[in-house]
Structures are given as structure tokens and as C-alpha cells.
């Protein structure tokens, strides 16, 4: 860019390169590039690095990126949540609890996760472990059916996406009743066979739900489109268009 085209790389260009390196798992190269930047790293740069650390469970570098974001965007809940998730994935429950306590002390609140889908001209919204929908008995029965089926096919609940330390059964139930799984179970009940099931979520889809959706798309032969806060996910025949990086 500089030598041939005379364009000075800006923070946005470095952020893209760090994201690309992070996607490929080259976190050490990403950090090296960050250290060599000719401009001051902005929040976008640190978010790219933190996102890569989240995906590859690189805790030490993730801590550094999150702490930089605490200073740059003190009211943004994202780095707190992602760091808490990293601690939980590593089994460091006390550290995860400290981050949540720090958020509370600083008056920072995480937007509650919710998912919604449309059927018969109406929008149906769900939150985690929701019990308010008129069809909730059928929805929960459908989830139990789905989880049992995908477990037989090889699905294993990913406990790293449980944010609190509890016994295994409680963790599995917490994962099974995430808002996007409730919305999908509803879609399987009401959306005609062959039609696309479309779900929207206000936050990033969790990794466990992402894995479950891949199994479900294959075993139920459904095209599922999930629009989360970061990108569109098209689940078809056991694969996702995002390539498992989002």
C-alpha cells in the first residue's frame, strides 16, 4: 500500500489484517503486526484481536485486548462479556465472576439476549429459558426431541458456553434452552417442510447453538438462516456459510 500505491495504512486496514490472521489462527503474527503499527491501535483493532482470542480460546492475549478496550470504550459491555466467556471456557469461574462484578460496579449492563422469528404474519420473540409463549409446552417437547436426536448423531454440549459454575445437568439444560434454540424449535413446529426457517438474534450466536444448528439442518433437512449481531449464518446440510468463524 505504502511503497507501490502511496497509501498510508490506517487503523481500519490493520484491523482487517489482524482479523484475517486471527481467522487463520496466526495469533502471534496478528500481535506482531499490532506491535508494528504506524498508527495508534483503535477499538476496532483490539476488537479484531479479542474476537480471534475468543474463537481460539487464547486467554492471555484476550485479557490484554479486553483491558485495552476497557480504557478505549469504558461503557461498552462487549469486552467484559467476551473476557468473562474466556474465563468460563478455561474453568476460571472466580475470574469470570469478578468481571461480571466489575461490570456491575461500573454501571455497565449487558443487553439481554433474545431471538425472534416470524410466522403467520406475527413476530414471536424468545429469551433464554422462556416460558411465556402459548406453545411453550410443545416447544420444550420439540427441543427435548431435537437434543436427543443430535446427540445420537454426535453432538456434545459445549460447556464452555455456560457462564456459571454448576452441575453438568444444569449446564446442559441451560444450553438447551437458549433463546435461539427456542426460536428454532418453534420454527420446526410451524414453518412448512421445505421452507426456510429464519431467525434473528440481537447478540452473537453462541458456539454451542451454532454447532447444534449445523446438526439440526442436516438431520431435519432444513435450510436455517440465523442473523445475529455480527453476520448472516446459512445452515445447510450440516455446514454454515460463516465457516465456523464469526
Amino acid at each position: 500500500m505504502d511503497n507501490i500505491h502511496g497509501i498510508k495504512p490506517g487503523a481500519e486496514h490493520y484491523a482487517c489484517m489482524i482479523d484475517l490472521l486471527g481467522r487463520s489462527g496466526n495469533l502471534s503474527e496478528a500481535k506482531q503486526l499490532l506491535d508494528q503499527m504506524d498508527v495508534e491501535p483503535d477499538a476496532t483493532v483490539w476488537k479484531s484481536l479479542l474476537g480471534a482470542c475468543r474463537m481460539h480460546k487464547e486467554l492471555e492475549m484476550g485479557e490484554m485486548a479486553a483491558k485495552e478496550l476497557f480504557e478505549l470504550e469504558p461503557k461498552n459491555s462487549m469486552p467484559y462479556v467476551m473476557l468473562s466467556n474466556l474465563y468460563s471456557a478455561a474453568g476460571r469461574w472466580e475470574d469470570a465472576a469478578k468481571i461480571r462484578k466489575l461490570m456491575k460496579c461500573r454501571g455497565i449492563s449487558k443487553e439481554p439476549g433474545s431471538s425472534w422469528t416470524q410466522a403467520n404474519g406475527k413476530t414471536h420473540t424468545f429469551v433464554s429459558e422462556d416460558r411465556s409463549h402459548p406453545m411453550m409446552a410443545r416447544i420444550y417437547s420439540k427441543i427435548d426431541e431435537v437434543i436427543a436426536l443430535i446427540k445420537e448423531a454426535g453432538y456434545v454440549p459445549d460447556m464452555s458456553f455456560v457462564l456459571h459454575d454448576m452441575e453438568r445437568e444444569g449446564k446442559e439444560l441451560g444450553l438447551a434452552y437458549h433463546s435461539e434454540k427456542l426460536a428454532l424449535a418453534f420454527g420446526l413446529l410451524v414453518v412448512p417442510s421445505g421452507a426456510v426457517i429464519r431467525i434473528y438474534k440481537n447478540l452473537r450466536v453462541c458456539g454451542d447453538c451454532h454447532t447444534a444448528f449445523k446438526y439440526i439442518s442436516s438431520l431435519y433437512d432444513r435450510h436455517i438462516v440465523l442473523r445475529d449481531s455480527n453476520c448472516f449464518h446459512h445452515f445447510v446440510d450440516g455446514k454454515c456459510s460463516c465457516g465456523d468463524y464469526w
Side-chain angles (χ1 to χ4, degrees), residues 72-93:
L72 291 169
E73 295 185 345
K75 293 300 181 181
N76 186 351
S77 66
M78 184 274 281
Y80 293 89
V81 173
M82 293 183 79
L83 182 56
S84 176
N85 290 349
L86 275 168
Y87 282 138
S88 297
R92 291 173 55 175
W93 303 108

Side-chain angles (χ1 to χ4, degrees), residues 176-214:
Y177 303 143
H178 277 189
S179 65
E180 54 266 60
K181 287 195 184 84
L182 294 175
L184 179 54
F186 173 75
L188 290 171
L189 288 168
V190 303
V191 177
S193 178
V196 178
I197 299 175
R198 301 182 186 276
I199 299 169
Y200 306 85
K201 183 170 183 178
N202 63 331
L203 306 175
R204 285 177 185 254
V205 60
C206 93
D208 179 75
C209 288
H210 191 274
T211 298
F213 274 35
K214 290 195 295 181

Side-chain angles (χ1 to χ4, degrees), residues 93-136:
W93 303 108
E94 289 186 7
D95 289 324
K98 286 178 182 177
I99 292 296
R100 292 194 296 272
K101 184 178 181 180
L102 181 62
M103 285 181 68
K104 186 175 182 180
C105 291
R106 294 180 176 179
I108 301 167
S109 59
K110 173 182 174 290
E111 183 180 4
S114 64
S115 300
W116 60 96
T117 188
Q118 294 182 332
N120 302 320
K122 294 183 178 180
T123 299
H124 300 260
T125 303
F126 302 89
V127 296
S128 183
E129 300 186 41
D130 198 349
R131 300 277 180 176
S132 61
H133 195 279
M135 290 177 57
M136 197 49 66

Side-chain angles (χ1 to χ4, degrees), residues 125-187:
T125 303
F126 302 89
V127 296
S128 183
E129 300 186 41
D130 198 349
R131 300 277 180 176
S132 61
H133 195 279
M135 290 177 57
M136 197 49 66
R138 291 181 61 195
I139 290 170
Y140 272 71
S141 177
K142 190 67 175 179
I143 287 179
D144 292 341
E145 169 203 305
V146 166
I147 297 298
L149 185 63
I150 64 177
K151 276 186 174 180
E152 289 181 6
Y155 161 76
V156 178
D158 190 342
M159 301 304 177
S160 68
F161 290 95
V162 178
L163 301 185
H164 301 279
D165 192 15
M166 59 180 73
E167 31 68 53
R168 183 177 180 85
E169 184 179 358
K171 290 180 179 181
E172 286 200 24
L173 289 175
L175 290 172
Y177 303 143
H178 277 189
S179 65
E180 54 266 60
K181 287 195 184 84
L182 294 175
L184 179 54
F186 173 75

Side-chain angles (χ1 to χ4, degrees), residues 21-105:
L21 290 167
R23 284 175 184 269
S24 62
N26 295 314
L27 288 167
S28 59
E29 289 185 47
K31 177 59 168 58
Q32 185 178 16
L33 179 62
L34 188 151
D35 291 337
Q36 295 172 352
M37 285 179 59
D38 293 328
V39 295
E40 191 71 21
D42 64 5
T44 305
V45 171
W46 289 110
K47 286 175 184 176
S48 295
L49 184 63
L50 180 56
C53 292
R54 176 191 68 90
M55 182 56 63
H56 297 290
K57 297 181 172 61
E58 174 53 57
L59 181 54
E60 185 176 349
M61 201 177 296
E63 285 179 317
M64 177 191 65
K67 288 172 182 176
E68 291 288 343
L69 285 165
F70 292 167
E71 298 295 325
L72 291 169
E73 295 185 345
K75 293 300 181 181
N76 186 351
S77 66
M78 184 274 281
Y80 293 89
V81 173
M82 293 183 79
L83 182 56
S84 176
N85 290 349
L86 275 168
Y87 282 138
S88 297
R92 291 173 55 175
W93 303 108
E94 289 186 7
D95 289 324
K98 286 178 182 177
I99 292 296
R100 292 194 296 272
K101 184 178 181 180
L102 181 62
M103 285 181 68
K104 186 175 182 180
C105 291

Side-chain angles (χ1 to χ4, degrees), residues 215-241:
Y215 276 99
I216 294 165
S217 71
S218 175
L219 294 173
Y220 285 84
D221 192 23
R222 302 300 293 258
H223 180 183
I224 305 163
V225 178
L226 171 63
R227 175 66 170 102
D228 71 3
S229 63
N230 198 49
C231 67
F232 279 95
H233 302 263
H234 290 259
F235 298 92
V236 180
D237 195 25
K239 297 179 181 178
C240 180
S241 58

